[in-house]
């Protein structure tokens, strides 16, 4: 009865048309808002964030890095207990005592918290990051059916809103340019593999980088959103591994 009375008061349905147009306009606006809200998630993957859920693995890598880095200076990182390490010089003088536990470091003056922002760690990171590209390569034997070129890139990306991210991006390709994700997922294992003689000559490496490695890196960064939008990014080669068939 109410609808009938409203229809009589608006026989040309002008009010209904206005209401429909308003509803459609609101719908379009809501759709755009939702699109704007989620458009930055194109490259989002929970798998990218799984490594951050285990802090201990990151600390283990930091300990291994510092231990390997100072060995070049004839220094040693000696484990005292599960959370404590001594950095000693060539004459066994203790240079620093580190702990992996923040609470312990705050409660004891003779302990220094090991972290990326520690001056000694920053010093070693800077020293090894300044190694020329031609000196960062190794050749190892591995379980591959043909030679694989594994490159490691440190990517620094900044978004238009000032947000800054630093990620390590591995890119592994065969000589024909085919990507090898299985090698990328296990890049740390291949860095520890037995050394062997390289198979590629400098001309082949340069050609493979230009034809396959760099385009693959560019596509990967676009997929993850690092090379899109108003922001900028830089990619620095920090590691090069030639993986050769261990039976060859």
């Amino acid at each position: 009865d109410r609808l009938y009375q409203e229809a009589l008061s608006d026989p040309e349905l002008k009010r209904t048309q206005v209401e429909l147009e308003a509803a459609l306009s609101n719908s379009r606006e809501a759709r755009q808002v939702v699109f704007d809200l989620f458009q930055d998630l194109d490259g989002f993957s929970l798998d990218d964030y799984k490594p951050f859920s285990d802090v201990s693995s990151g600390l283990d890598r930091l300990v291994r890095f510092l231990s390997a880095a100072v060995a070049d200076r004839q220094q040693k990182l000696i484990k005292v207990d599960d959370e404590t390490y001594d950095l000693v010089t060539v004459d066994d003088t203790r240079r620093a005592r580190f702990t992996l536990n923040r609470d312990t470091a705050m409660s004891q003056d003779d302990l220094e918290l090991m972290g990326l922002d520690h001056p000694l760690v920053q010093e070693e990171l800077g020293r090894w990051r300044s190694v020329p590209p031609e000196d960062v390569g190794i050749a190892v034997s591995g379980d591959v059916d043909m030679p694989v070129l594994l490159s490691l890139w440190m990517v620094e990306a900044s978004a238009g809103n000032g947000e800054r991210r630093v990620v390590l991006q591995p890119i592994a390709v065969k000589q024909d340019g085919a990507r090898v994700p299985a090698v990328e997922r296990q890049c740390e294992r291949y860095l520890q593999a037995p050394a062997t003689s390289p198979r590629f000559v400098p001309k082949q490496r340069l050609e493979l980088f230009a034809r396959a490695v760099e385009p693959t890196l560019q596509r990967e960064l676009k997929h993850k959103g690092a090379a899109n939008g108003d922001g900028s990014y830089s990619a620095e080669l920090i590691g090069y591994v030639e993986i050769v068939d261990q039976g060859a």
Side-chain angles (χ1 to χ4, degrees):
D1 183 58
R2 183 176 61 83
L3 291 176
Y4 177 73
Q5 291 178 357
E6 290 179 353
L8 290 177
S9 64
D10 185 20
E12 297 182 9
L13 300 179
K14 291 181 179 180
R15 189 179 65 187
T16 303
Q17 181 180 1
V18 171
E19 291 173 346
L20 284 173
E21 290 177 351
L24 288 172
S25 176
N26 291 338
S27 175
R28 284 192 293 267
E29 183 178 353
R31 181 181 179 184
Q32 184 62 41
V33 169
V34 172
F35 175 77
D36 292 341
L37 180 63
F38 288 98
Q39 65 175 345
D40 291 336
L41 301 182
D42 290 343
F44 177 81
S45 171
L46 285 176
D47 292 337
D48 295 337
Y49 293 86
K50 285 181 179 178
F52 298 102
S53 63
D54 185 4
V55 178
S56 62
S57 63
L59 290 173
D60 288 342
R61 287 195 297 271
L62 185 57
V63 169
R64 291 199 302 272
F65 162 75
L66 188 58
S67 179
V70 299
D72 186 62
R73 298 178 183 263
Q74 285 74 52
Q75 299 179 10
K76 294 181 292 184
L77 192 65
I78 300 175
K79 184 175 182 178
V80 178
D81 56 43
D82 289 342
E83 294 184 342
T84 311
Y85 293 84
D86 281 345
L87 177 61
V88 299
T89 62
V90 65
D91 58 356
D92 288 332
T93 301
R94 191 173 77 186
R95 186 180 177 190
R97 170 162 284 189
F98 292 103
T99 178
L100 306 181
N101 188 302
R102 182 177 297 274
D103 293 335
T104 304
M106 294 180 65
S107 63
Q108 299 185 36
D109 294 337
D110 62 332
L111 289 178
E112 302 178 37
L113 180 65
M114 182 180 292
L116 288 173
D117 56 349
H118 191 282
L120 290 176
V121 176
Q122 283 292 312
E123 179 184 348
E124 292 302 326
L125 285 171
R127 185 166 71 94
W128 286 99
R129 283 183 60 182
S130 64
V131 174
E134 58 268 21
D135 294 335
V136 299
I138 59 173
V140 301
S141 60
D143 50 351
V144 294
D145 55 0
M146 60 181 62
V148 174
L149 190 158
L150 169 64
S151 58
L152 302 170
W153 302 82
M154 186 176 68
V155 180
E156 297 188 35
S158 59
N161 59 5
E163 180 185 0
R164 179 175 171 272
R165 290 188 301 167
V166 180
V167 297
L168 177 67
Q169 178 61 56
I171 297 292
V173 297
K174 297 180 181 179
Q175 193 167 2
D176 61 2
R179 193 170 179 181
V180 193
V183 170
E184 295 175 5
R185 289 192 293 268
Q186 303 180 68
C187 60
E188 191 168 348
R189 179 170 72 87
Y190 287 107
L191 288 172
Q192 306 295 327
T196 189
S197 300
R199 292 302 175 88
F200 298 127
V201 298
K203 183 178 180 180
Q204 288 176 307
R205 296 176 188 133
L206 291 173
E207 189 273 335
L208 193 52
F209 262 79
R211 174 172 54 86
V213 175
E214 292 177 357
T216 301
L217 174 65
Q218 182 74 10
R219 288 194 299 270
E220 181 68 20
L221 295 181
K222 284 185 176 180
H223 173 70
K224 290 185 174 179
N228 295 331
D230 300 328
S232 61
Y233 77 95
S234 64
E236 178 184 357
L237 180 66
I238 61 171
Y240 173 96
V241 185
E242 283 184 24
I243 306 170
V244 181
D245 181 4
Q246 54 192 0

